[in-house]
Amino acid sequence: MTRHRILSILLLTILIPITAVLFHNYSAFSPVFRARFSQMATTNKSPVIVVGAGLAGLSASYSAIQSGATVRLLERAPKPGGNSIKASSGINGAPTRFQNVEKYGVDTSFWDDTTRSAGLRLNSASVSPTVKRRREELITVLTNRSASAIDFLTDLGVDLSVVAQLGGHSLPRTHRGAGKTPPGASIVTTLLTKLKEQGPDRFQLVTDSEVTRLLTDSNAPKGTVKVTGVEYKNMQDGSTRLLHGPVVFTTGGFAGDTHGLLAKYRPDLDGLPSTNDPRPGAHTILSDVGAKLVDMDAVQIHPTGFVDPANPASPLKFLAAEMLRGEGGILLHNGKRVINELQTREKVSNGLMALPAKNEDSLRQWDVQLLLDPGATEAAAGHVGFYLWKGLLQKKKIAELDETTRQTLKEYAAVVRGEKEDELGRKAFGHWRLTEEDVDEGEKEICVGRVTPITHFTMGGAVFNTKAQILTAELGEEQEGKEIEGLWGAGEITGGLHGDNRLGGSSLLECVVFGRVAGEEAAKYRV
């Protein structure tokens, strides 16, 4: 073959697809040729940059890849997972195929429960119609897409077949697996596995990498902001690097930032232990480019963090999962029940914090006992086994309990059997099966551990819309034209969704719902 002929063939190989695209005849080429051309085009586009490798970041990454993008996931910690991997109660969804329709009917009350939990920030007469509408729009997306979020995860292989009722919910809708792995760990590890299967050309996870600022376009039209990438610091060698592309921000909240953002917005919570690692919040990175923050003083106190008998003064606590109470567990102070354990987290926390506190070193803690009977213990076996192994729960025979506690158990057993109304208003009792006769015999084993209220979740964060775009507008202002171009957010870094108080099980849910939205939108945007 002559050199001239070879050059002619090469030239045609290059020009034909270009000409076909220009004249809209791209579909005429073979599937193999189109796939190679599409791969070349994708490779030449900027990656979607996801900041934070908790569930919101993982969901955004997977969604972006499914939408045709490549992803670079930056995580400041040595390992991915964030606080999501520690989530133990489950993920909300309604209506789903795992809910008991025969017993409860079709679940249509999730939206109502969520708006009720949002409290005065949504439901007060003084709330402006615009603010109310914005909050309700976000809640609508969360609840309407909750069933598809459950389907999405189960299709990936996550077991979510067990459904429990948590505090503030009108019926069971919080999903977890039947095995011993807590739901947060199960969901996070499954998504990580699926992402790694995409290969390094499509997905790269970079740990020990802390984003220090967002890059912006200095030539953006006046009054607008365009994000073009990130600057991040390698925590191993201290070097600073730049990465260009659309950004999805999923760095989580600031409940563990005790002496930083938490002290700034809620100084009254000084001294409370937390379930969150003690590290700074990343909200100022967003506000530095004009993002507005909302509800920053709305901090959720979880009523039950375990006090480790081996280290009671540790500021970092393991969460005593809400499902322990949902499955029948009760809370005792000096041997007596003091609260309806299935009220919202806010109400249960406030009730416990009204009791006398104990100052232990620099911490404010309360002396409350969480007690599970054999039925609740069995229903929560996966969690209980872990807590027993950690020494956070202990097994005791009923005969070993004091007289006041035994009398409380007899009274509660009578309530569960329907012999009388609960004076504290509890109406659902999970899998509690201990009877008055069992208490008198004293041979059955219960599980008991000390718990205390802890900072757990921050409802406040960056103002965002139903497309997960971060905004330069206040929640009640006109949002059109106030979107920060090239920037999305999902998970605890955002605000405006939960109002005064988040329902248990909705943290993982918002990560999946808005993470998927953010990833898809960012993938569309790539240049």
Side-chain angles (χ1 to χ4, degrees):
M1 187 179 292
T2 66
R3 180 183 299 176
H4 177 75
R5 183 170 177 77
I6 293 172
L7 290 173
S8 298
I9 292 172
L10 289 173
L11 185 61
L12 287 171
T13 302
I14 295 170
L15 290 177
I16 286 174
I18 296 174
T19 305
V21 172
L22 292 173
F23 288 96
H24 309 288
N25 290 325
Y26 183 47
S27 61
F29 293 99
S30 73
V32 173
F33 189 94
R34 293 200 307 271
R36 288 177 179 172
F37 190 81
S38 176
Q39 185 179 26
M40 181 176 67
T42 299
T43 302
N44 289 336
K45 287 186 175 182
S46 302
V48 170
I49 304 165
V50 181
V51 184
L55 181 55
L58 297 174
S59 298
S61 297
Y62 192 83
S63 177
I65 290 173
Q66 294 301 300
S67 300
T70 58
V71 171
R72 300 295 177 268
L73 176 57
L74 305 178
E75 168 57 47
R76 61 181 167 183
K79 295 180 180 179
N83 286 312
S84 304
I85 202 168
K86 298 184 285 186
S88 53
S89 290
I91 179 170
N92 294 331
T96 73
R97 61 183 181 271
F98 301 114
Q99 291 179 288
N100 190 336
V101 177
E102 291 185 5
K103 183 174 182 179
Y104 299 103
V106 176
D107 185 354
T108 60
S109 58
F110 188 15
W111 192 90
D112 292 334
D113 288 347
T114 304
T115 55
R116 187 181 307 112
S117 181
L120 295 178
R121 292 174 198 259
L122 173 62
N123 301 304
S124 171
S126 62
V127 174
S128 76
T130 303
V131 169
K132 185 178 179 68
R133 184 176 75 254
R134 299 297 187 201
R135 292 189 188 276
E136 289 180 344
E137 287 171 350
L138 295 171
I139 291 172
T140 297
V141 172
L142 180 78
T143 55
N144 284 358
R145 298 191 184 188
S146 65
S148 66
I150 299 297
D151 290 338
F152 162 71
L153 294 172
T154 53
D155 288 346
L156 291 179
V158 181
D159 177 17
L160 296 173
S161 58
V162 178
V163 186
Q165 181 175 350
L166 305 188
H169 293 266
S170 56
L171 71 167
R173 65 168 69 93
T174 307
H175 298 65
R176 69 179 192 275
K180 294 184 177 181
T181 304
S186 178
I187 294 169
V188 165
T189 53
T190 298
L191 264 172
L192 272 171
T193 300
K194 294 296 182 181
L195 285 167
K196 290 176 181 178
E197 289 174 356
Q198 305 302 313
D201 290 340
R202 303 185 71 189
F203 173 73
Q204 290 183 20
L205 168 63
V206 187
T207 55
D208 288 311
S209 298
E210 183 172 17
V211 169
T212 52
R213 69 182 178 97
L214 294 170
L215 307 179
T216 57
D217 184 356
S218 59
N219 295 318
K222 187 177 181 180
T224 67
V225 181
K226 179 179 179 181
V227 168
T228 60
V230 300
E231 175 187 87
Y232 68 96
K233 179 181 179 180
N234 183 292
M235 306 299 286
Q236 295 292 329
D237 60 22
S239 62
T240 298
R241 304 173 188 181
L242 303 181
L243 187 59
H244 296 277
V247 178
V248 179
F249 222 75
T250 57
T251 53
F254 60 93
D257 191 7
T258 304
H259 303 299
L261 291 178
L262 191 64
K264 177 180 178 180
Y265 292 103
R266 288 295 303 271
D268 58 303
L269 298 181
D270 181 46
L272 259 65
S274 179
T275 56
N276 293 278
D277 292 323
R279 61 186 188 186
H283 298 63
T284 53
I285 296 175
L286 297 178
S287 58
D288 283 346
V289 298
K292 297 297 184 182
L293 305 179
V294 65
D295 298 339
M296 293 294 282
D297 61 330
V299 178
Q300 184 173 82
I301 310 301
H302 195 288
T304 55
F306 278 116
V307 178
D308 187 349
N311 189 13
S314 171
L316 181 63
K317 305 296 188 188
F318 273 99
L319 187 73
E322 197 160 8
M323 54 82 65
L324 297 176
R325 288 175 282 130
E327 295 294 4
I330 57 176
L331 297 174
L332 307 174
H333 177 66
N334 293 332
K336 296 182 178 180
R337 287 179 65 224
V338 292
I339 195 79
N340 174 358
E341 295 86 357
L342 291 188
Q343 292 187 101
T344 64
R345 291 177 177 181
E346 181 182 30
K347 291 181 178 179
V348 177
S349 297
N350 288 343
L352 298 184
M353 292 172 73
L355 301 171
K358 294 178 66 175
N359 292 320
E360 299 178 68
D361 289 344
S362 60
L363 296 180
R364 280 191 296 149
Q365 301 187 140
W366 283 261
D367 195 5
V368 178
Q369 306 300 313
L370 170 66
L371 188 148
L372 289 80
D373 86 320
T377 298
E378 183 179 315
H383 291 70
V384 170
F386 173 76
Y387 298 141
L388 288 168
W389 175 70
K390 293 290 292 184
L392 303 172
L393 281 176
Q394 292 82 38
K395 287 185 176 181
K396 290 185 178 183
K397 286 190 175 183
I398 296 174
E400 299 177 54
L401 303 175
D402 61 82
E403 178 58 33
T404 302
T405 300
R406 292 199 302 271
Q407 182 59 35
T408 297
L409 294 182
K410 293 175 71 172
E411 293 172 358
Y412 186 66
V415 169
V416 174
R417 292 171 67 172
E419 296 175 8
K420 61 179 181 178
E421 290 288 318
D422 181 25
E423 295 179 355
L424 297 172
R426 182 164 178 166
K427 298 184 182 302
F429 309 101
H431 289 83
W432 184 282
R433 63 169 182 251
L434 197 71
T435 66
E436 295 160 89
E437 292 77 14
D438 293 330
V439 177
D440 287 334
E441 291 173 4
E443 290 302 307
K444 293 283 178 70
E445 282 189 332
I446 55 89
C447 286
V448 63
R450 182 185 168 193
V451 294
T452 186
I454 47 177
T455 60
H456 177 57
F457 189 89
T458 49
M459 276 70 69
V463 178
F464 75 131
N465 62 19
T466 56
K467 291 186 177 181
Q469 294 168 295
I470 302 297
L471 305 173
T472 60
E474 301 286 357
L475 191 62
E477 293 178 347
E478 175 57 47
Q479 296 183 354
E480 187 68 31
K482 297 293 186 179
E483 306 89 350
I484 298 180
E485 185 178 345
L487 180 63
W488 295 262
E492 199 174 348
I493 188 67
T494 58
L497 170 62
H498 300 294
D500 286 330
N501 192 56
R502 173 182 64 79
L503 278 176
S506 283
S507 175
L508 294 181
L509 177 63
E510 75 164 312
C511 289
V512 175
V513 169
F514 286 104
R516 293 177 71 195
V517 171
E520 182 178 350
E521 293 294 324
K524 291 179 188 175
Y525 175 82
R526 290 176 309 139
V527 293

